[in-house]
Amino acid sequence: NAGVTQTPKFRVLKTGQSMTLLCAQDMNHEYMYWYRQDPGMGLRLIHYSVGEGTTAKGEVPDGYNVSRLKKQNFLLGLESAAPSQTSVYFCASSYHSDTQYFGPGTRLTVL
Amino acid sequence: AQSVTQLGSHVSVSEGALVLLRCNYSSSVPPYLFWYVQYPNQGLQLLLKYTSAATLVKGINGFEAEFKKSETSFHLTKPSAHMSDAAEYFCAVSDRGKVGGANSKLTFGKGITLSVRP
């Protein structure tokens, strides 16, 4: 099992550019999450999904969109990147409200 | 609403000394509680979790934590620190949301960086 994988690992964008981060899990988990991690802020939930075709807003959803077209994939999109979105992004998945399993992260810099 | 407080951002101990990382939580219902560890440039890894069975929970790498409802605490301890324990540690709370419910998610503390001195 690969667990939770994230693509890409690193990315540098210019302000206004768009990109999509891909998260994939092979544990057949229903729930998937996107977090951002900033120094001194812990992890903050951006969006989450409790099943294929469903998404919901988390704590800091502005400037991001998500889609869960397949159970194993959860995509995070930035339509018009801003410097404030420079962060490390983590995807996680879980079986309902139990343990969340995290991917290795994507380090995004927006210039 | 649920919340987690991790006092202090940095703890430094000598190798072989006791490790104590504090976590206090707030939840309107009996919680699930978790400790995660993050090594540099890696994702988060589960250390241990409390899900209403035994109040003293043992995890990986010699860590354990005790759930104290009266103190709303879930402090993490290890009797003897090792250099390899240097990492960032996160406490998290889940209020056991129902399937599809709005609260089916974790709330994390801000994290504590543990340094271990030779």
Side-chain angles (χ1 to χ4, degrees):
Chain A
N1 285 353
V4 180
T5 58
Q6 293 184 231
T7 308
K9 289 185 169 52
F10 303 94
R11 186 73 186 268
V12 178
L13 291 178
K14 294 181 180 178
T15 297
Q17 288 185 318
S18 63
M19 78 164 294
T20 300
L21 282 67
L22 170 64
C23 175
Q25 54 94 3
D26 61 2
M27 295 175 282
N28 202 33
H29 286 162
E30 289 291 335
Y31 291 11
M32 297 187 74
Y33 313 80
W34 276 108
Y35 294 90
R36 60 177 290 171
Q37 184 180 28
D38 303 290
M41 302 291 289
L43 276 78
R44 293 181 292 169
L45 183 64
I46 305 171
H47 286 280
Y48 66 103
S49 168
V50 298
E52 182 178 320
T54 72
T55 63
K57 293 181 179 180
E59 182 185 355
V60 288
D62 294 343
Y64 305 95
N65 56 75
V66 288
S67 64
R68 183 99 181 266
L69 299 179
K70 293 183 179 180
K71 185 178 182 179
Q72 63 268 34
N73 296 337
F74 195 28
L75 279 62
L76 178 71
L78 286 74
E79 290 188 350
S80 179
S84 60
Q85 294 178 305
T86 293
S87 188
V88 182
Y89 292 85
F90 287 100
C91 176
S93 70
S94 70
Y95 177 72
H96 300 306
S97 295
D98 207 330
T99 305
Q100 291 189 17
Y101 294 86
F102 285 79
T106 294
R107 190 172 297 273
L108 174 66
T109 301
V110 182
L111 302 175
Chain B
Q2 53 197 28
S3 65
V4 170
T5 301
Q6 294 183 253
L7 289 179
S9 60
H10 186 235
V11 170
S12 180
V13 301
S14 298
E15 192 171 20
L18 172 71
V19 175
L20 170 61
L21 303 180
R22 299 178 187 274
C23 172
N24 289 89
Y25 71 91
S26 172
S27 177
S28 57
V29 297
Y32 284 170
L33 292 159
F34 303 80
W35 275 100
Y36 282 87
V37 60
Q38 184 181 31
Y39 299 103
N41 300 313
Q42 294 187 24
L44 277 71
Q45 176 183 352
L46 181 71
L47 268 181
L48 50 79
K49 65 180 179 182
Y50 166 77
T51 56
S52 79
T55 57
L56 182 62
V57 181
K58 295 187 184 298
I60 61 172
N61 301 337
F63 284 93
E64 63 182 35
E66 186 172 9
F67 172 69
K68 291 187 176 181
K69 182 179 178 180
S70 61
E71 298 178 8
T72 61
S73 69
F74 191 56
H75 302 329
L76 181 71
T77 60
K78 181 174 180 178
S80 177
H82 192 272
M83 297 296 289
S84 61
D85 295 326
E88 190 162 17
Y89 292 80
F90 293 92
C91 181
V93 62
S94 168
D95 65 358
R96 314 183 186 191
K98 293 183 289 186
V99 174
N103 291 320
S104 305
K105 55 189 183 293
L106 290 178
T107 299
F108 284 87
K110 295 188 186 306
I112 298 174
T113 299
L114 175 66
S115 299
V116 182
R117 303 184 301 272

